[in-house]
Amino acid sequence: MLRVRAGETGLLAELFERHNRPVFGFFYRMTSSRELSEDLVQDVFLRILRYRDTYQPRTSFAAWMYGIARNAMIDQMRKRRPESSLDDAMAEVPTRDEPADERMRARQESEILQRALSSLPADKREVLILARYQDLRYEEIGRILGCEPNAVKQRVFRAVKALGDRYTELSGRVAQ
């Protein structure tokens, strides 16, 4: 990123190749829309190019990039209402070595988990996605969200609990 910041903008393609799939995953888990996620990924990398001078080497590139991603998503959501359709492309595909009933059960659980995640409030969904799916450290998430790592830890804990409660509710299982 330092070389892109210094004017070697052709290297943005390398950053795109390295980071576009995780950024797409972040957006997809937040919006459940493949089309919107693809548009937002493009927007993020245009913003990275446009705002490259704001990157500070002491800041993690991932935290800076997800901060841009978060802002792009907020701007987009202001323009249009969130879409609630789910795309079953996110469902995990089990191996063919598993019996058919196991594959079906795993797919159903994955779909319920995706529905539970999609039904969470945006702030809980966002912190879960950043922590669990994007594998960012609490310090990095804190920089993105503008809070301390301990506050992020609490938010993640509450979001995991809310996700578990929602999953239990959607699956019809009795909480233990």
Side-chain angles (χ1 to χ4, degrees):
M1 182 59 209
L2 291 175
R3 291 173 58 193
V4 171
R5 182 178 160 208
E8 294 182 50
T9 57
L11 294 175
L12 186 63
E14 188 176 318
L15 287 175
F16 179 84
E17 286 302 315
R18 189 176 308 152
H19 299 285
N20 80 79
R21 293 186 79 188
V23 172
F24 174 85
F26 167 73
F27 287 134
Y28 189 83
R29 288 179 181 96
M30 288 299 295
T31 67
S32 297
S33 169
R34 180 172 298 284
E35 183 179 303
L36 179 57
S37 298
E38 289 170 351
D39 290 346
L40 285 167
V41 167
Q42 297 300 319
D43 188 26
V44 165
F45 284 92
L46 286 173
R47 288 178 186 217
I48 285 174
L49 182 61
R50 184 179 307 134
Y51 302 118
R52 67 185 180 271
D53 292 338
T54 66
Y55 174 71
Q56 298 298 317
R58 68 183 184 284
T59 302
S60 140
F61 173 73
W64 182 74
M65 178 183 66
Y66 282 110
I68 289 174
R70 182 174 191 255
N71 290 336
M73 186 173 57
I74 289 168
D75 291 347
Q76 182 65 33
M77 292 303 156
R78 285 182 182 143
K79 292 178 190 173
R80 68 192 265 189
R81 299 188 68 92
E83 298 173 13
S84 60
S85 65
L86 291 176
D87 185 339
D88 60 348
M90 287 303 293
E92 292 181 26
V93 179
T95 66
R96 293 181 182 200
D97 296 341
E98 294 180 55
D101 61 330
E102 287 293 318
R103 287 195 307 265
M104 183 180 292
R105 187 175 52 75
R107 181 182 171 123
Q108 288 172 340
E109 288 179 1
S110 179
E111 288 173 357
I112 293 169
L113 182 61
Q114 181 61 37
R115 284 182 28 222
L117 182 62
S118 294
S119 72
L120 290 179
D123 60 328
K124 285 184 170 52
R125 192 169 61 241
E126 180 180 47
V127 75
L128 269 178
I129 291 167
L130 290 171
R132 299 296 187 247
Y133 292 98
Q134 305 312 120
D135 295 322
L136 294 180
R137 295 185 329 265
Y138 290 158
E139 293 80 20
E140 293 173 312
I141 297 169
R143 282 189 216 114
I144 294 166
L145 301 179
C147 60
E148 294 296 318
N150 284 337
V152 172
K153 188 175 182 180
Q154 281 185 326
R155 288 182 185 185
V156 169
F157 175 80
R158 290 177 185 145
V160 167
K161 181 172 180 353
L163 180 64
D165 292 346
R166 186 68 179 132
Y167 179 87
T168 299
E169 179 183 320
L170 289 172
S171 67
R173 295 181 183 164
V174 178
Q176 296 180 13

